[in-house]
Amino acid sequence: MTEAIRTEHLKFSYDAQSESGGVTVFDDLNLSIEEGSFVAVLGHNGCGKSTLAKHFNAVLLPEGGSVQVFGMDTSDESLLVDIRRTVGMVFQNPDNQMVANVVEEDVAFAPENLGVPSEEIRRRVDEALKLVGMYDYRLHAPHLLSGGQKQRVAIAGVIAMRPRCIVLDEPTAMLDPHGREEVISTIERLNREMGITVVLITHHMTEAIRAQRVIVMDAGRILADGTPKEVFPQVELLESVGLTVPATTKVLYALNQAGFDLPLDALSTEECAQVLLAAIGAKT
């Protein structure tokens, strides 16, 4: 598999030039993300996950070590435009990414800045809005949209740049359950149908279980890394750093504490229900 992103011995501190040496976030972080994968990054506030996300498209630059994006070194200033065209960022508050008074103009903003020809921009805007299910709203004012709809427009604006990777930094933190589902379903489809590499920074376990890979961070280091079925059964480890687990895992873990012997990797509601029904059948 082709590598999308690689960090090697990444070191970064905020206010590194201060007399105290600043606050160290990463000291020696090594990580590889494959092209076409859907990766969720979890961790409590201050663990470094958002700082890591900003390194992926050179919003932040390494103090030591390196970050490679599809073979491009983020510290090479001559590659900055190519890197940001290759890795699109979607942030927590979609209002901060809205720059126009009409949806389609907002989506067109980034490709216009990249010098894309007008006819190609029109095609990209229509395609991106259709992909996120917002084409019928193309002439609407963004401020009249719901939170989930705004975030889908923000994602469309990134898609119109034709990135190979999208990094989403807690994109559903301000949304209700319906809005969260809109956004997660959208990025799942982009990953599945277009092969776009997705890195999702989140604190919602229900979102993380839909990823192919889960990376758990704590104090600037990787605490756990694997598929959701490999990571979430590690209940004690996750709770030791202040993280919860999916509700399904929590139920199964509690039953095991009471004497059952149930698999903790039944993450979806359907899988959990099947495990519980089988357990009830075995007891009767």
Side-chain angles (χ1 to χ4, degrees), residues 23-74:
V23 178
T24 298
V25 182
F26 304 123
D27 187 37
D28 185 21
L29 184 70
N30 296 284
L31 174 65
S32 175
I33 293 175
E34 290 182 347
E35 183 174 11
S37 61
F38 176 7
V39 180
V41 181
L42 296 172
H44 58 72
N45 291 338
C47 73
K49 58 188 189 296
S50 290
T51 301
L52 181 63
K54 290 172 183 174
H55 274 82
F56 289 166
N57 82 333
V59 172
L60 295 175
L61 299 177
E63 178 187 330
S66 66
V67 178
Q68 301 280 332
V69 175
F70 292 93
M72 296 179 286
D73 191 323
T74 61

mmCIF file of all heavy atoms in Angstrom, residues 23-74:
data_model
loop_
_atom_site.group_PDB
_atom_site.id
_atom_site.type_symbol
_atom_site.label_atom_id
_atom_site.label_comp_id
_atom_site.label_asym_id
_atom_site.label_seq_id
_atom_site.Cartn_x
_atom_site.Cartn_y
_atom_site.Cartn_z
ATOM 1 N N VAL A 23 5.770 24.188 26.072
ATOM 2 C CA VAL A 23 5.029 22.972 26.422
ATOM 3 C C VAL A 23 5.266 21.925 25.332
ATOM 4 O O VAL A 23 4.876 22.111 24.185
ATOM 5 C CB VAL A 23 3.522 23.258 26.544
ATOM 6 C CG1 VAL A 23 2.760 21.964 26.850
ATOM 7 C CG2 VAL A 23 3.262 24.314 27.604
ATOM 8 N N THR A 24 5.912 20.841 25.681
ATOM 9 C CA THR A 24 6.206 19.791 24.709
ATOM 10 C C THR A 24 4.950 18.974 24.423
ATOM 11 O O THR A 24 4.296 18.483 25.343
ATOM 12 C CB THR A 24 7.311 18.853 25.224
ATOM 13 O OG1 THR A 24 8.510 19.608 25.413
ATOM 14 C CG2 THR A 24 7.584 17.731 24.230
ATOM 15 N N VAL A 25 4.622 18.855 23.145
ATOM 16 C CA VAL A 25 3.477 18.042 22.729
ATOM 17 C C VAL A 25 3.965 16.690 22.219
ATOM 18 O O VAL A 25 3.472 15.647 22.631
ATOM 19 C CB VAL A 25 2.652 18.768 21.646
ATOM 20 C CG1 VAL A 25 1.438 17.920 21.256
ATOM 21 C CG2 VAL A 25 2.220 20.149 22.114
ATOM 22 N N PHE A 26 4.935 16.714 21.300
ATOM 23 C CA PHE A 26 5.519 15.482 20.765
ATOM 24 C C PHE A 26 7.026 15.512 20.992
ATOM 25 O O PHE A 26 7.664 16.536 20.778
ATOM 26 C CB PHE A 26 5.262 15.353 19.261
ATOM 27 C CG PHE A 26 3.814 15.422 18.874
ATOM 28 C CD1 PHE A 26 3.367 16.379 17.973
ATOM 29 C CD2 PHE A 26 2.890 14.544 19.415
ATOM 30 C CE1 PHE A 26 2.038 16.452 17.622
ATOM 31 C CE2 PHE A 26 1.552 14.614 19.073
ATOM 32 C CZ PHE A 26 1.122 15.568 18.164
ATOM 33 N N ASP A 27 7.562 14.379 21.403
ATOM 34 C CA ASP A 27 9.006 14.289 21.598
ATOM 35 C C ASP A 27 9.647 13.355 20.576
ATOM 36 O O ASP A 27 10.725 13.608 20.079
ATOM 37 C CB ASP A 27 9.317 13.813 23.022
ATOM 38 C CG ASP A 27 10.809 13.864 23.328
ATOM 39 O OD1 ASP A 27 11.469 14.812 22.846
ATOM 40 O OD2 ASP A 27 11.309 12.964 24.010
ATOM 41 N N ASP A 28 8.953 12.270 20.230
ATOM 42 C CA ASP A 28 9.502 11.303 19.268
ATOM 43 C C ASP A 28 8.343 10.478 18.714
ATOM 44 O O ASP A 28 8.234 9.284 18.982
ATOM 45 C CB ASP A 28 10.529 10.402 19.946
ATOM 46 C CG ASP A 28 11.219 9.458 18.958
ATOM 47 O OD1 ASP A 28 11.210 9.755 17.747
ATOM 48 O OD2 ASP A 28 11.734 8.416 19.402
ATOM 49 N N LEU A 29 7.489 11.134 17.929
ATOM 50 C CA LEU A 29 6.270 10.473 17.446
ATOM 51 C C LEU A 29 6.492 9.893 16.051
ATOM 52 O O LEU A 29 6.875 10.602 15.119
ATOM 53 C CB LEU A 29 5.107 11.470 17.407
ATOM 54 C CG LEU A 29 3.761 10.852 17.006
ATOM 55 C CD1 LEU A 29 3.254 9.942 18.116
ATOM 56 C CD2 LEU A 29 2.739 11.934 16.701
ATOM 57 N N ASN A 30 6.236 8.597 15.920
ATOM 58 C CA ASN A 30 6.369 7.911 14.636
ATOM 59 C C ASN A 30 5.022 7.300 14.258
ATOM 60 O O ASN A 30 4.412 6.581 15.051
ATOM 61 C CB ASN A 30 7.433 6.803 14.739
ATOM 62 C CG ASN A 30 8.809 7.373 15.016
ATOM 63 O OD1 ASN A 30 9.468 7.915 14.136
ATOM 64 N ND2 ASN A 30 9.257 7.265 16.264
ATOM 65 N N LEU A 31 4.580 7.608 13.048
ATOM 66 C CA LEU A 31 3.243 7.194 12.627
ATOM 67 C C LEU A 31 3.196 7.087 11.108
ATOM 68 O O LEU A 31 3.806 7.894 10.399
ATOM 69 C CB LEU A 31 2.212 8.228 13.096
ATOM 70 C CG LEU A 31 0.760 8.063 12.646
ATOM 71 C CD1 LEU A 31 0.164 6.798 13.239
ATOM 72 C CD2 LEU A 31 -0.055 9.283 13.039
ATOM 73 N N SER A 32 2.464 6.097 10.616
ATOM 74 C CA SER A 32 2.281 5.937 9.176
ATOM 75 C C SER A 32 0.806 5.703 8.895
ATOM 76 O O SER A 32 0.151 4.904 9.576
ATOM 77 C CB SER A 32 3.111 4.757 8.657
ATOM 78 O OG SER A 32 2.843 4.525 7.288
ATOM 79 N N ILE A 33 0.267 6.414 7.899
ATOM 80 C CA ILE A 33 -1.134 6.261 7.501
ATOM 81 C C ILE A 33 -1.178 5.899 6.027
ATOM 82 O O ILE A 33 -0.593 6.585 5.183
ATOM 83 C CB ILE A 33 -1.925 7.561 7.763
ATOM 84 C CG1 ILE A 33 -2.017 7.806 9.274
ATOM 85 C CG2 ILE A 33 -3.321 7.483 7.141
ATOM 86 C CD1 ILE A 33 -2.665 9.123 9.651
ATOM 87 N N GLU A 34 -1.863 4.804 5.716
ATOM 88 C CA GLU A 34 -1.903 4.310 4.347
ATOM 89 C C GLU A 34 -2.892 5.106 3.492
ATOM 90 O O GLU A 34 -3.942 5.546 3.977
ATOM 91 C CB GLU A 34 -2.305 2.835 4.328
ATOM 92 C CG GLU A 34 -1.266 1.901 4.883
ATOM 93 C CD GLU A 34 -1.686 0.441 4.790
ATOM 94 O OE1 GLU A 34 -2.883 0.193 4.527
ATOM 95 O OE2 GLU A 34 -0.824 -0.429 4.974
ATOM 96 N N GLU A 35 -2.562 5.249 2.219
ATOM 97 C CA GLU A 35 -3.465 5.905 1.287
ATOM 98 C C GLU A 35 -4.752 5.096 1.151
ATOM 99 O O GLU A 35 -4.736 3.870 1.096
ATOM 100 C CB GLU A 35 -2.807 6.049 -0.090
ATOM 101 C CG GLU A 35 -3.680 6.786 -1.092
ATOM 102 C CD GLU A 35 -2.971 7.043 -2.412
ATOM 103 O OE1 GLU A 35 -1.890 6.476 -2.630
ATOM 104 O OE2 GLU A 35 -3.515 7.820 -3.223
ATOM 105 N N GLY A 36 -5.882 5.805 1.130
ATOM 106 C CA GLY A 36 -7.172 5.155 0.959
ATOM 107 C C GLY A 36 -7.784 4.620 2.231
ATOM 108 O O GLY A 36 -8.885 4.046 2.200
ATOM 109 N N SER A 37 -7.111 4.800 3.359
ATOM 110 C CA SER A 37 -7.636 4.288 4.629
ATOM 111 C C SER A 37 -8.518 5.328 5.317
ATOM 112 O O SER A 37 -8.502 6.515 4.980
ATOM 113 C CB SER A 37 -6.491 3.873 5.557
ATOM 114 O OG SER A 37 -5.651 4.976 5.858
ATOM 115 N N PHE A 38 -9.316 4.866 6.280
ATOM 116 C CA PHE A 38 -10.164 5.728 7.101
ATOM 117 C C PHE A 38 -9.708 5.512 8.536
ATOM 118 O O PHE A 38 -9.939 4.460 9.124
ATOM 119 C CB PHE A 38 -11.630 5.362 6.900
ATOM 120 C CG PHE A 38 -12.614 6.124 7.772
ATOM 121 C CD1 PHE A 38 -12.233 7.183 8.579
ATOM 122 C CD2 PHE A 38 -13.958 5.763 7.766
ATOM 123 C CE1 PHE A 38 -13.141 7.879 9.360
ATOM 124 C CE2 PHE A 38 -14.892 6.442 8.545
ATOM 125 C CZ PHE A 38 -14.476 7.496 9.346
ATOM 126 N N VAL A 39 -9.040 6.524 9.090
ATOM 127 C CA VAL A 39 -8.413 6.420 10.402
ATOM 128 C C VAL A 39 -9.073 7.398 11.369
ATOM 129 O O VAL A 39 -9.235 8.585 11.056
ATOM 130 C CB VAL A 39 -6.903 6.732 10.315
ATOM 131 C CG1 VAL A 39 -6.259 6.631 11.696
ATOM 132 C CG2 VAL A 39 -6.219 5.794 9.331
ATOM 133 N N ALA A 40 -9.454 6.919 12.536
ATOM 134 C CA ALA A 40 -9.971 7.782 13.601
ATOM 135 C C ALA A 40 -8.888 7.962 14.655
ATOM 136 O O ALA A 40 -8.221 6.997 15.038
ATOM 137 C CB ALA A 40 -11.217 7.177 14.225
ATOM 138 N N VAL A 41 -8.707 9.202 15.109
ATOM 139 C CA VAL A 41 -7.726 9.507 16.150
ATOM 140 C C VAL A 41 -8.483 9.975 17.385
ATOM 141 O O VAL A 41 -9.242 10.952 17.329
ATOM 142 C CB VAL A 41 -6.726 10.581 15.691
ATOM 143 C CG1 VAL A 41 -5.699 10.851 16.789
ATOM 144 C CG2 VAL A 41 -6.029 10.152 14.404
ATOM 145 N N LEU A 42 -8.287 9.273 18.495
ATOM 146 C CA LEU A 42 -8.989 9.550 19.745
ATOM 147 C C LEU A 42 -8.018 10.027 20.815
ATOM 148 O O LEU A 42 -6.826 9.736 20.768
ATOM 149 C CB LEU A 42 -9.670 8.282 20.262
ATOM 150 C CG LEU A 42 -10.784 7.660 19.442
ATOM 151 C CD1 LEU A 42 -11.165 6.319 20.053
ATOM 152 C CD2 LEU A 42 -11.985 8.576 19.374
ATOM 153 N N GLY A 43 -8.566 10.717 21.801
ATOM 154 C CA GLY A 43 -7.762 11.146 22.940
ATOM 155 C C GLY A 43 -8.466 12.277 23.658
ATOM 156 O O GLY A 43 -9.258 13.004 23.051
ATOM 157 N N HIS A 44 -8.185 12.416 24.945
ATOM 158 C CA HIS A 44 -8.813 13.501 25.698
ATOM 159 C C HIS A 44 -8.200 14.840 25.294
ATOM 160 O O HIS A 44 -7.173 14.893 24.592
ATOM 161 C CB HIS A 44 -8.671 13.272 27.205
ATOM 162 C CG HIS A 44 -7.244 13.147 27.668
ATOM 163 N ND1 HIS A 44 -6.379 14.216 27.727
ATOM 164 C CD2 HIS A 44 -6.536 12.069 28.082
ATOM 165 C CE1 HIS A 44 -5.208 13.818 28.159
ATOM 166 N NE2 HIS A 44 -5.264 12.516 28.378
ATOM 167 N N ASN A 45 -8.822 15.935 25.711
ATOM 168 C CA ASN A 45 -8.318 17.263 25.375
ATOM 169 C C ASN A 45 -6.880 17.435 25.862
ATOM 170 O O ASN A 45 -6.554 17.076 26.994
ATOM 171 C CB ASN A 45 -9.202 18.350 26.011
ATOM 172 C CG ASN A 45 -10.578 18.411 25.372
ATOM 173 O OD1 ASN A 45 -10.763 17.965 24.241
ATOM 174 N ND2 ASN A 45 -11.546 18.967 26.086
ATOM 175 N N GLY A 46 -6.034 17.970 24.988
ATOM 176 C CA GLY A 46 -4.646 18.217 25.347
ATOM 177 C C GLY A 46 -3.703 17.067 25.065
ATOM 178 O O GLY A 46 -2.505 17.163 25.361
ATOM 179 N N CYS A 47 -4.222 15.979 24.462
ATOM 180 C CA CYS A 47 -3.359 14.812 24.219
ATOM 181 C C CYS A 47 -2.481 14.981 22.985
ATOM 182 O O CYS A 47 -1.544 14.222 22.772
ATOM 183 C CB CYS A 47 -4.197 13.545 24.083
ATOM 184 S SG CYS A 47 -5.118 13.449 22.523
ATOM 185 N N GLY A 48 -2.815 15.975 22.127
ATOM 186 C CA GLY A 48 -1.989 16.229 20.950
ATOM 187 C C GLY A 48 -2.649 15.899 19.623
ATOM 188 O O GLY A 48 -2.055 16.090 18.563
ATOM 189 N N LYS A 49 -3.902 15.430 19.654
ATOM 190 C CA LYS A 49 -4.514 14.971 18.400
ATOM 191 C C LYS A 49 -4.768 16.117 17.421
ATOM 192 O O LYS A 49 -4.530 15.964 16.210
ATOM 193 C CB LYS A 49 -5.800 14.183 18.663
ATOM 194 C CG LYS A 49 -6.894 14.888 19.431
ATOM 195 C CD LYS A 49 -8.020 13.916 19.773
ATOM 196 C CE LYS A 49 -9.231 14.635 20.360
ATOM 197 N NZ LYS A 49 -8.930 15.296 21.660
ATOM 198 N N SER A 50 -5.225 17.277 17.903
ATOM 199 C CA SER A 50 -5.447 18.405 16.996
ATOM 200 C C SER A 50 -4.122 18.993 16.522
ATOM 201 O O SER A 50 -4.005 19.429 15.369
ATOM 202 C CB SER A 50 -6.283 19.493 17.692
ATOM 203 O OG SER A 50 -7.612 19.043 17.873
ATOM 204 N N THR A 51 -3.129 18.999 17.381
ATOM 205 C CA THR A 51 -1.791 19.460 16.986
ATOM 206 C C THR A 51 -1.235 18.566 15.890
ATOM 207 O O THR A 51 -0.640 19.038 14.917
ATOM 208 C CB THR A 51 -0.847 19.463 18.203
ATOM 209 O OG1 THR A 51 -1.382 20.331 19.207
ATOM 210 C CG2 THR A 51 0.547 19.938 17.813
ATOM 211 N N LEU A 52 -1.468 17.261 16.011
ATOM 212 C CA LEU A 52 -1.021 16.314 14.988
ATOM 213 C C LEU A 52 -1.729 16.601 13.660
ATOM 214 O O LEU A 52 -1.089 16.645 12.605
ATOM 215 C CB LEU A 52 -1.301 14.888 15.432
ATOM 216 C CG LEU A 52 -0.879 13.777 14.475
ATOM 217 C CD1 LEU A 52 0.638 13.782 14.291
ATOM 218 C CD2 LEU A 52 -1.351 12.416 14.989
ATOM 219 N N ALA A 53 -3.030 16.821 13.721
ATOM 220 C CA ALA A 53 -3.807 17.094 12.502
ATOM 221 C C ALA A 53 -3.255 18.300 11.758
ATOM 222 O O ALA A 53 -3.161 18.302 10.524
ATOM 223 C CB ALA A 53 -5.275 17.317 12.857
ATOM 224 N N LYS A 54 -2.859 19.329 12.506
ATOM 225 C CA LYS A 54 -2.361 20.556 11.871
ATOM 226 C C LYS A 54 -0.977 20.362 11.250
ATOM 227 O O LYS A 54 -0.564 21.163 10.402
ATOM 228 C CB LYS A 54 -2.345 21.693 12.890
ATOM 229 C CG LYS A 54 -3.752 22.145 13.274
ATOM 230 C CD LYS A 54 -3.748 23.140 14.424
ATOM 231 C CE LYS A 54 -5.168 23.499 14.816
ATOM 232 N NZ LYS A 54 -5.212 24.346 16.030
ATOM 233 N N HIS A 55 -0.278 19.317 11.655
ATOM 234 C CA HIS A 55 1.001 18.995 11.011
ATOM 235 C C HIS A 55 0.797 18.336 9.654
ATOM 236 O O HIS A 55 1.697 18.357 8.809
ATOM 237 C CB HIS A 55 1.835 18.059 11.902
ATOM 238 C CG HIS A 55 2.663 18.767 12.927
ATOM 239 N ND1 HIS A 55 2.160 19.194 14.130
ATOM 240 C CD2 HIS A 55 3.973 19.145 12.919
ATOM 241 C CE1 HIS A 55 3.119 19.786 14.831
ATOM 242 N NE2 HIS A 55 4.228 19.770 14.114
ATOM 243 N N PHE A 56 -0.383 17.747 9.454
ATOM 244 C CA PHE A 56 -0.604 16.979 8.230
ATOM 245 C C PHE A 56 -0.757 17.848 6.988
ATOM 246 O O PHE A 56 -0.608 17.351 5.876
ATOM 247 C CB PHE A 56 -1.831 16.078 8.384
ATOM 248 C CG PHE A 56 -1.631 14.922 9.332
ATOM 249 C CD1 PHE A 56 -2.715 14.193 9.798
ATOM 250 C CD2 PHE A 56 -0.368 14.554 9.757
ATOM 251 C CE1 PHE A 56 -2.542 13.124 10.668
ATOM 252 C CE2 PHE A 56 -0.170 13.494 10.634
ATOM 253 C CZ PHE A 56 -1.269 12.777 11.093
ATOM 254 N N ASN A 57 -1.108 19.127 7.167
ATOM 255 C CA ASN A 57 -1.120 19.989 5.977
ATOM 256 C C ASN A 57 -0.344 21.278 6.216
ATOM 257 O O ASN A 57 -0.616 22.321 5.632
ATOM 258 C CB ASN A 57 -2.537 20.254 5.467
ATOM 259 C CG ASN A 57 -3.240 21.360 6.208
ATOM 260 O OD1 ASN A 57 -2.930 21.618 7.372
ATOM 261 N ND2 ASN A 57 -4.172 22.009 5.545
ATOM 262 N N ALA A 58 0.664 21.158 7.092
ATOM 263 C CA ALA A 58 1.650 22.224 7.302
ATOM 264 C C ALA A 58 1.071 23.497 7.898
ATOM 265 O O ALA A 58 1.639 24.569 7.722
ATOM 266 C CB ALA A 58 2.384 22.535 5.995
ATOM 267 N N VAL A 59 -0.045 23.392 8.622
ATOM 268 C CA VAL A 59 -0.484 24.519 9.446
ATOM 269 C C VAL A 59 0.546 24.724 10.555
ATOM 270 O O VAL A 59 0.876 25.845 10.926
ATOM 271 C CB VAL A 59 -1.886 24.268 10.038
ATOM 272 C CG1 VAL A 59 -2.258 25.348 11.044
ATOM 273 C CG2 VAL A 59 -2.934 24.215 8.925
ATOM 274 N N LEU A 60 1.069 23.599 11.070
ATOM 275 C CA LEU A 60 2.184 23.615 12.012
ATOM 276 C C LEU A 60 3.343 22.844 11.394
ATOM 277 O O LEU A 60 3.130 21.899 10.633
ATOM 278 C CB LEU A 60 1.784 22.965 13.340
ATOM 279 C CG LEU A 60 0.703 23.665 14.160
ATOM 280 C CD1 LEU A 60 0.340 22.830 15.394
ATOM 281 C CD2 LEU A 60 1.139 25.060 14.584
ATOM 282 N N LEU A 61 4.565 23.240 11.719
ATOM 283 C CA LEU A 61 5.762 22.580 11.187
ATOM 284 C C LEU A 61 6.557 21.942 12.316
ATOM 285 O O LEU A 61 6.569 22.452 13.449
ATOM 286 C CB LEU A 61 6.636 23.598 10.450
ATOM 287 C CG LEU A 61 6.000 24.281 9.239
ATOM 288 C CD1 LEU A 61 6.946 25.321 8.663
ATOM 289 C CD2 LEU A 61 5.600 23.256 8.183
ATOM 290 N N PRO A 62 7.225 20.833 12.046
ATOM 291 C CA PRO A 62 7.982 20.127 13.093
ATOM 292 C C PRO A 62 9.098 20.986 13.673
ATOM 293 O O PRO A 62 9.749 21.749 12.960
ATOM 294 C CB PRO A 62 8.567 18.919 12.354
ATOM 295 C CG PRO A 62 7.740 18.755 11.131
ATOM 296 C CD PRO A 62 7.300 20.133 10.745
ATOM 297 N N GLU A 63 9.296 20.821 14.958
ATOM 298 C CA GLU A 63 10.463 21.411 15.618
ATOM 299 C C GLU A 63 11.660 20.487 15.419
ATOM 300 O O GLU A 63 12.806 20.916 15.359
ATOM 301 C CB GLU A 63 10.144 21.583 17.107
ATOM 302 C CG GLU A 63 11.266 22.133 17.956
ATOM 303 C CD GLU A 63 10.902 22.094 19.427
ATOM 304 O OE1 GLU A 63 9.705 22.198 19.764
ATOM 305 O OE2 GLU A 63 11.835 21.945 20.242
ATOM 306 N N GLY A 64 11.363 19.205 15.307
ATOM 307 C CA GLY A 64 12.374 18.187 15.036
ATOM 308 C C GLY A 64 11.721 17.028 14.324
ATOM 309 O O GLY A 64 10.502 16.875 14.339
ATOM 310 N N GLY A 65 12.520 16.206 13.652
ATOM 311 C CA GLY A 65 11.955 15.114 12.878
ATOM 312 C C GLY A 65 11.293 15.637 11.615
ATOM 313 O O GLY A 65 11.588 16.747 11.152
ATOM 314 N N SER A 66 10.384 14.843 11.035
ATOM 315 C CA SER A 66 9.772 15.260 9.780
ATOM 316 C C SER A 66 8.356 14.732 9.634
ATOM 317 O O SER A 66 7.965 13.759 10.284
ATOM 318 C CB SER A 66 10.608 14.761 8.594
ATOM 319 O OG SER A 66 10.576 13.339 8.527
ATOM 320 N N VAL A 67 7.601 15.402 8.756
ATOM 321 C CA VAL A 67 6.279 14.937 8.346
ATOM 322 C C VAL A 67 6.283 14.874 6.826
ATOM 323 O O VAL A 67 6.576 15.873 6.159
ATOM 324 C CB VAL A 67 5.161 15.882 8.827
ATOM 325 C CG1 VAL A 67 3.800 15.389 8.327
ATOM 326 C CG2 VAL A 67 5.160 15.992 10.352
ATOM 327 N N GLN A 68 5.993 13.701 6.295
ATOM 328 C CA GLN A 68 5.941 13.490 4.850
ATOM 329 C C GLN A 68 4.487 13.293 4.434
ATOM 330 O O GLN A 68 3.776 12.477 5.015
ATOM 331 C CB GLN A 68 6.741 12.253 4.455
ATOM 332 C CG GLN A 68 8.205 12.296 4.841
ATOM 333 C CD GLN A 68 9.042 13.113 3.867
ATOM 334 O OE1 GLN A 68 8.707 13.221 2.693
ATOM 335 N NE2 GLN A 68 10.143 13.673 4.359
ATOM 336 N N VAL A 69 4.039 14.041 3.422
ATOM 337 C CA VAL A 69 2.681 13.947 2.906
ATOM 338 C C VAL A 69 2.765 13.512 1.449
ATOM 339 O O VAL A 69 3.215 14.290 0.597
ATOM 340 C CB VAL A 69 1.952 15.299 3.032
ATOM 341 C CG1 VAL A 69 0.584 15.230 2.385
ATOM 342 C CG2 VAL A 69 1.831 15.705 4.495
ATOM 343 N N PHE A 70 2.414 12.277 1.164
ATOM 344 C CA PHE A 70 2.544 11.713 -0.184
ATOM 345 C C PHE A 70 3.939 12.010 -0.746
ATOM 346 O O PHE A 70 4.088 12.434 -1.888
ATOM 347 C CB PHE A 70 1.451 12.262 -1.099
ATOM 348 C CG PHE A 70 0.075 11.782 -0.736
ATOM 349 C CD1 PHE A 70 -0.726 12.523 0.119
ATOM 350 C CD2 PHE A 70 -0.414 10.583 -1.226
ATOM 351 C CE1 PHE A 70 -1.989 12.071 0.471
ATOM 352 C CE2 PHE A 70 -1.678 10.124 -0.881
ATOM 353 C CZ PHE A 70 -2.476 10.872 -0.030
ATOM 354 N N GLY A 71 4.943 11.805 0.105
ATOM 355 C CA GLY A 71 6.332 11.975 -0.296
ATOM 356 C C GLY A 71 6.851 13.391 -0.226
ATOM 357 O O GLY A 71 8.033 13.631 -0.481
ATOM 358 N N MET A 72 5.985 14.357 0.129
ATOM 359 C CA MET A 72 6.408 15.758 0.221
ATOM 360 C C MET A 72 6.709 16.118 1.675
ATOM 361 O O MET A 72 5.908 15.834 2.571
ATOM 362 C CB MET A 72 5.313 16.685 -0.327
ATOM 363 C CG MET A 72 5.028 16.504 -1.800
ATOM 364 S SD MET A 72 3.706 17.610 -2.417
ATOM 365 C CE MET A 72 2.240 16.820 -1.719
ATOM 366 N N ASP A 73 7.858 16.747 1.897
ATOM 367 C CA ASP A 73 8.261 17.165 3.238
ATOM 368 C C ASP A 73 7.573 18.488 3.562
ATOM 369 O O ASP A 73 7.732 19.474 2.849
ATOM 370 C CB ASP A 73 9.783 17.337 3.297
ATOM 371 C CG ASP A 73 10.296 17.505 4.714
ATOM 372 O OD1 ASP A 73 9.617 18.163 5.524
ATOM 373 O OD2 ASP A 73 11.383 16.971 5.010
ATOM 374 N N THR A 74 6.801 18.507 4.654
ATOM 375 C CA THR A 74 6.031 19.712 4.985
ATOM 376 C C THR A 74 6.918 20.906 5.337
ATOM 377 O O THR A 74 6.451 22.045 5.322
ATOM 378 C CB THR A 74 5.064 19.453 6.154
ATOM 379 O OG1 THR A 74 5.806 19.084 7.323
ATOM 380 C CG2 THR A 74 4.068 18.355 5.808
#
